[in-house]
Amino acid sequence: MLDTTRLAYYFPTLSFSFEHDIRTRLQRLHLRARSTFISLQDMSHYPCTSNDIPPILIEPFILRGYRSLNQPWSYYWKSLFHKHNETINVWSHLIGILYIGHLLYYYNQRLKFYENSHSWPFAVSLCTAIIMFMCSVFAHLLHSKSETVHKTCFAIDYIGVSLHGFGSGFLHIYYSAPQWYYDKIEYQYVFILLLLGMLACLSNCFAQYYFCPPYPPLKRICQFLPCGILWIYSVIPLIIGLFPLNFPLDSCSMCHLGQIILFIIGGILFAFDLPQRFCPGALDFIGQGHHLFHLCVYLITLCQMHGVYWDYEKNQKIIDQRSKPHLIFCAGSMICLMLWNIIIVCYFRRYLREKHHVHKK
C-alpha cells in the first residue's frame, strides 16, 4: 500500500490522495472501455449473413456482419465508419500506417536517412511495413464488392505480405546478424529473400485463383507454407544472435524473442480460426482470430523496429566499418520485388478473366 502520509510530509502542497486519484482514473477508464464495447455491439451493422453471400466471401465460423455485393464503390468506402466483420481489420492496420509513419519520422531524426547510407536498410524496411499495412487496409475494406474484386484485393494483399517479409529479412541481416554470419551470406541472403518473397506471392495467388469452395486443406498449405518459409528465413539472423539465451535478457533480445513468439501465436490463431472455432457467431465483430492476428502483426512490427534500432546502437562501430550499401541496391531490390509481384498478380487476373469468359460461352 502506498504511504500517502509520508508523501504528504515531504510534499505538503499536494492536495489530493494518490490512492483516490488512481482508483478514480481506473474506474473512469473502465467505464469508457465498457461503454465503447457496448456501443460497438449495439451499433447498427450490415444485415447480410453467411447465407446471403457467395461461399468465396464467407470466413469460417463468422456468421454475421457481411456487406452486400455489387454496390457502388462509395458504399464500401463509407463502410470504413460503420460496423461490420471487417471493421477491426481495417482500423487496426490504418492505425498501423499512422504508427509506422511516426516511426519513419522518429528514426529519421536519429539516423538521418538522407545523410547516413548505413540507415537505408532501416528506411526500406519501414517503407515495406507501410506498404503492407496499406495493402491490407485496401483488401479488407473493398473486397466485398464482388468475387472478382475479392480475389484481386487479396492478391494485392499478398504483395504487401511478400514485401514486408523481404523488408524484415533485409533489416535483420544488416543490423542484427552476428558479423561472421553477415560476412558469409550478405548478398546471397538478400537474393534468396527476393526469391522467397516472389514464391510467397505466387503461391498465395495460385491458391486464391485455383481452388474453389469448399476449400481443401491443400489451399491453406499453399498459402501458409511459403509465407512460413519466408518468415523463418528472415528471422535466422535473430535466432543466431539470440541463442544460447543468457538471462536476464537485454532490451533488444527481449524484443527479438517477443517478435518471434508473437508471430507464432498470431499464425496459429489465423491458420486454425481461433477462437471463433469454439463459439461460431459470438466473435463476428470483435475478437475473431484475424483481428488478433492483425494485433500481433502490429506488435511484431513495434518489437522489430525498436529491437533492431537498439542492435544498431549497440553495434554501430562494427556496422559503420562495413562497405556502404548502395541506394540502388536497397531501394532497387524492394522495387524489383514489387514489380515482379505486380506481374504475378496481373497474370492471375488475366487468367481469371479468361476463365470467366470461357464460362460465359
Side-chain angles (χ1 to χ4, degrees):
M1 185 69 68
L2 186 63
D3 189 351
T4 54
T5 306
R6 179 171 295 183
L7 282 173
Y9 175 79
Y10 288 107
F11 302 98
T13 56
L14 293 178
S15 58
F16 60 90
S17 165
F18 275 99
E19 292 182 10
H20 174 75
D21 187 62
I22 291 173
R23 190 182 299 113
T24 302
R25 287 176 182 272
L26 288 175
Q27 287 174 349
R28 287 177 183 172
L29 183 63
H30 172 259
L31 289 173
R32 286 177 183 175
R34 183 180 175 185
S35 175
T36 301
F37 183 81
I38 293 173
S39 298
L40 182 62
Q41 296 300 319
D42 293 340
M43 187 190 301
S44 60
H45 57 79
Y46 290 84
C48 292
T49 68
S50 56
N51 297 320
D52 304 321
I53 61 172
I56 192 174
L57 298 180
I58 297 175
E59 290 295 322
F61 311 106
I62 304 301
L63 307 182
R64 301 169 297 151
Y66 292 96
R67 290 165 289 176
S68 302
L69 276 71
N70 303 314
Q71 300 298 313
W73 284 110
S74 59
Y75 169 88
Y76 302 99
W77 287 109
K78 289 177 182 177
S79 71
L80 176 65
F81 303 103
H82 295 84
K83 177 184 173 184
H84 50 86
N85 55 33
E86 294 281 20
T87 302
I88 301 297
N89 287 331
V90 175
W91 276 100
S92 59
H93 278 184
L94 267 178
I95 294 170
I97 293 171
L98 297 175
Y99 178 71
I100 299 299
H102 162 71
L103 287 185
L104 195 61
Y105 172 80
Y106 175 83
Y107 286 122
N108 182 48
Q109 298 297 308
R110 285 151 182 79
L111 298 175
K112 308 296 181 186
F113 292 143
Y114 293 107
E115 304 168 10
N116 179 12
S117 57
H118 289 291
S119 69
W120 289 342
F122 208 104
V124 166
S125 185
L126 285 167
C127 290
T128 59
I130 289 174
I131 293 171
M132 182 268 293
F133 284 130
M134 289 176 65
C135 289
S136 179
V137 169
F138 178 84
H140 286 287
L141 184 62
L142 302 177
H143 76 94
S144 297
K145 184 171 175 62
S146 69
E147 294 184 37
T148 302
V149 172
H150 171 85
K151 291 183 176 183
T152 302
C153 283
F154 282 105
I156 293 171
D157 191 25
Y158 303 144
I159 293 177
V161 171
S162 169
L163 278 171
H164 186 51
F166 169 78
S168 296
F170 199 24
L171 192 69
H172 298 156
I173 188 62
Y174 199 77
Y175 299 109
S176 299
Q179 185 62 34
W180 65 267
Y181 185 73
Y182 176 85
D183 292 336
K184 186 175 181 179
I185 203 171
E186 176 190 3
Y187 289 105
Q188 299 94 315
Y189 181 91
V190 174
F191 179 71
I192 294 172
L193 264 181
L194 280 169
L195 293 179
L196 290 177
M198 285 187 280
L199 177 63
C201 183
L202 177 65
S203 180
N204 274 276
C205 286
F206 171 79
Q208 182 75 11
Y209 283 89
Y210 182 78
F211 295 106
C212 298
Y215 295 120
L218 184 59
K219 179 178 185 285
R220 291 217 161 182
I221 293 173
C222 288
Q223 288 182 304
F224 290 110
L225 183 61
C227 291
I229 294 172
L230 174 61
W231 174 74
I232 290 170
Y233 189 73
S234 73
V235 297
I236 285 176
L238 300 184
I239 294 172
I240 292 173
L242 274 173
F243 292 100
L245 289 171
N246 296 314
F247 293 96
L249 299 176
D250 59 14
S251 298
C252 55
S253 296
M254 288 179 65
C255 281
H256 296 330
L257 187 61
Q259 171 187 340
I260 293 170
I261 292 171
L262 282 166
F263 188 91
I264 294 171
I265 292 172
I268 291 172
L269 292 173
F270 183 27
F272 295 100
D273 302 311
L274 301 173
Q276 67 268 25
R277 177 181 292 273
F278 301 112
C279 46
L283 304 171
D284 292 345
F285 301 105
I286 185 169
Q288 60 184 263
H290 207 117
H291 297 166
L292 300 177
F293 174 69
H294 275 209
L295 176 62
C296 285
V297 170
Y298 180 83
L299 295 174
I300 287 165
T301 306
L302 187 151
C303 289
Q304 180 188 58
M305 296 303 172
H306 291 312
V308 170
Y309 176 71
W310 287 327
D311 275 336
Y312 179 63
E313 284 190 326
K314 184 172 62 177
N315 304 318
Q316 187 168 1
K317 290 183 179 179
I318 297 173
I319 292 171
D320 288 345
Q321 289 173 0
R322 297 172 182 170
S323 57
K324 294 183 178 181
H326 298 288
L327 182 60
I328 294 176
F329 174 71
C330 294
S333 55
M334 178 186 73
I335 293 170
C336 175
L337 178 59
M338 189 186 302
L339 291 176
W340 274 111
N341 285 344
I342 290 172
I343 290 170
I344 290 169
V345 170
C346 289
Y347 170 80
F348 281 102
R349 277 280 299 149
R350 182 179 177 183
Y351 167 80
L352 180 65
R353 283 199 303 268
E354 291 176 354
K355 185 179 178 181
H356 182 70
H357 183 68
V358 169
H359 280 310
K360 267 192 165 183
K361 288 185 176 180

